[in-house]
Amino acid sequence: MLYTAARLVEQGLNEKLRNLGLTYPAVIALDALAATGPITQAGLADAIHVRAQTLGPTLQKLESQGHIDRRPGNRNSHYVSITDAGKRLLHEAHALELEVLAKFEVNPDGLRDELENIVLKAPKGH
């Protein structure tokens, strides 16, 4: 049921995010960047439980739109950070998320807390 509920919310949100030039995975990346500050692409991928290669195209698009910055780190790594434009866009995306969740009559703060608890307790690699 959790998977089905997540897909339904994601579909509704993606419809609204398209108008902002975003996808739900991009919002997840921006959320993590807003929370962590500058981080390597590998570190960001680990934080949101995806592979760095999977995250690459999303970051490229966000960078081309001016929502993130990538700066060289050591060796082949780059540090990724959210820009002010990215923070403004993330704020708009959160407002859309609340709008979508309101249709399902759920407490978005309580739901976010519960889902965050699941994510934080999940073993790495899942």
Side-chain angles (χ1 to χ4, degrees):
M1 289 183 85
L2 182 60
Y3 178 77
T4 301
R7 294 293 301 153
L8 289 170
V9 170
E10 184 177 359
Q11 287 171 356
L13 186 55
N14 271 328
E15 287 177 26
K16 296 201 175 279
L17 291 174
R18 255 185 240 115
N19 295 329
L20 298 177
L22 285 176
T23 62
Y24 191 63
V27 172
I28 292 170
L30 289 173
D31 265 331
L33 288 172
T36 64
I39 188 171
T40 63
Q41 182 172 326
L44 178 60
D46 189 48
I48 61 176
H49 301 276
V50 298
R51 292 188 173 164
Q53 300 89 328
T54 302
L55 189 57
T58 298
L59 294 181
Q60 286 175 347
K61 184 173 182 182
L62 288 170
E63 183 179 29
S64 73
Q65 295 171 325
H67 303 305
I68 65 165
D69 279 328
R70 287 204 266 190
R71 307 231 182 253
N74 43 2
R75 296 190 198 137
N76 292 331
S77 68
H78 285 80
Y79 280 89
V80 184
S81 59
I82 190 170
T83 63
D84 287 340
K87 289 176 187 175
R88 286 189 297 274
L89 189 69
L90 184 59
H91 181 74
E92 289 181 56
H94 285 165
L96 291 176
E97 183 178 36
L98 291 175
E99 189 179 307
V100 169
L101 288 174
K103 292 178 184 177
F104 296 103
E105 299 179 2
V106 296
N107 173 351
D109 293 330
L111 179 61
R112 182 178 289 277
D113 290 345
E114 292 297 325
L115 294 173
E116 186 175 286
N117 186 41
I118 291 170
V119 170
L120 293 174
K121 290 183 178 179
K124 294 292 182 188
H126 288 97

